[in-house]
Amino acid sequence: MAKRLAAAGFIAARAEARLLAGRAAGDAELLERLLQRRLTGEPLAWIVGSARFCGLHVRVEPGVFVPRSQSEIIARRAASRLPAAGIAIDVCTGSGAVAMVLMRARPDATVIATDIDPVAIACATANGVEARHGDLFEGLPSSLHGSVDVVTAVVPYVPSAELPYLQRDTFTFETPLAYDGGRDGTRLLRRVIRDAARFLRPKGALLLELGGEQAEVLRPHLRRHGFGSVTVLRDSDGDVRGVDARVTPNGIVSRRDGARSRRA
């Protein structure tokens, strides 16, 4: 089986073969069906029903965005920013993987997740996450304004023109909505920055996954919304994976773009 996967171009053929065999549990006919699904390019996590993320076993239902390893830096950094009994919001939660990392690291904290996809909400809920249906911060109570310690967001950020360069089988199974970030990839990132400013307390942290030059493109937008400190997060290869933006200590936020002013 590993040879068939390798011949089809799957890099981690042996590891995938083991996972498929484990899912089949000795049923040869089932194993062949699972293998055939994988050979079409269907995400492995949909086939075996789960993925590993920051050492956690995350349930992933078919149709739900599969958590990627590059998002782990966002989850771990967010966990380090979240106080023991703090409050966190995870938007575009998908399977709930990032929220699960926060919950494991800070079991006494309040972690609330949102997603626009009802299938994702059901999946995250099955993973033990308090997940609410809504577009980004939609539906969250105004009582959270100015009191949240950490906001995490793994939103679509691929520039529309670059979507054709993603691996060819991606959109055979996944929707472009999970990747398309608009002209320069920052359409949803800008919305998150604007709305997170209302929810975060002074010195609160916004953890955004992004790539390329987007961190620099968004610096002025972050400043306008009261984020005075921005740290670019890079992986072990030096590639940009996200930003850690902190609200200024005095909590002043610009009124531009619909943001609200506040002071500590």
Side-chain angles (χ1 to χ4, degrees), residues 171-183:
F171 297 138
T172 302
F173 298 94
E174 297 182 281
T175 170
L177 294 176
Y179 296 90
D180 191 352
R183 183 182 59 80

Side-chain angles (χ1 to χ4, degrees), residues 6-37:
F10 292 92
I11 298 174
R14 290 184 180 179
E16 293 199 8
R18 286 195 296 271
L19 289 171
L20 292 171
R23 173 68 178 82
D27 186 328
E29 291 185 1
L30 175 58
L31 179 58
E32 180 61 26
R33 291 198 300 271
L34 298 178
L35 176 60
Q36 289 299 325
R37 288 172 62 185

Side-chain angles (χ1 to χ4, degrees), residues 14-254:
R14 290 184 180 179
E16 293 199 8
R18 286 195 296 271
L19 289 171
L20 292 171
R23 173 68 178 82
D27 186 328
E29 291 185 1
L30 175 58
L31 179 58
E32 180 61 26
R33 291 198 300 271
L34 298 178
L35 176 60
Q36 289 299 325
R37 288 172 62 185
R38 184 58 180 142
L39 289 173
T40 66
E42 182 176 349
L44 180 66
W46 292 3
I47 299 170
V48 301
S50 66
R52 299 292 291 179
F53 186 81
C54 289
L56 292 175
H57 178 87
V58 180
R59 178 174 178 170
V60 184
E61 298 289 347
V64 175
F65 184 76
V66 179
R68 266 61 166 182
S69 60
Q70 63 261 30
S71 302
E72 292 185 351
I73 190 172
I74 298 296
R76 292 194 172 102
R77 184 82 168 208
S80 73
R81 295 298 194 199
L82 182 60
I87 302 173
I89 296 172
D90 178 41
V91 300
C92 283
T93 196
S95 64
V98 173
M100 291 172 68
V101 173
L102 299 180
M103 293 163 60
R104 179 185 64 176
R106 302 289 186 263
D108 294 325
T110 298
V111 180
I112 303 171
T114 69
D115 202 285
I116 199 169
D117 181 7
V119 178
I121 291 298
C123 183
T125 300
N127 278 318
V129 175
E130 181 184 340
R132 303 184 182 186
H133 183 259
D135 182 11
L136 300 181
F137 297 87
E138 182 183 86
L140 293 174
S142 59
S143 60
L144 290 176
H145 287 180
S147 64
V148 175
D149 298 282
V150 172
V151 169
T152 54
V154 180
V155 303
Y157 61 91
V158 178
S160 299
E162 296 181 16
L163 292 176
Y165 299 107
L166 297 178
Q167 63 186 57
R168 57 188 174 83
D169 57 358
T170 295
F171 297 138
T172 302
F173 298 94
E174 297 182 281
T175 170
L177 294 176
Y179 296 90
D180 191 352
R183 183 182 59 80
D184 64 354
T186 68
R187 182 184 64 228
L188 286 171
L189 291 168
R190 291 174 186 274
R191 286 182 57 200
V192 171
I193 292 167
R194 179 196 67 198
D195 294 342
R198 297 201 310 270
F199 285 87
L200 285 166
R201 64 171 179 78
K203 298 184 181 181
L206 170 62
L207 281 299
L208 289 175
E209 181 174 320
L210 44 71
E213 301 299 321
Q214 290 172 337
E216 298 308 316
V217 169
L218 290 171
R219 277 186 188 275
H221 193 64
L222 285 160
R223 285 197 299 270
R224 284 199 298 273
H225 289 281
F227 294 93
S229 173
V230 179
T231 301
V232 177
L233 306 178
R234 299 176 182 272
D235 62 19
S236 58
D237 294 323
D239 294 326
V240 173
R241 292 301 185 189
V243 294
D244 176 348
R246 308 294 297 277
V247 177
T248 52
N250 62 10
I252 297 175
V253 177
S254 168

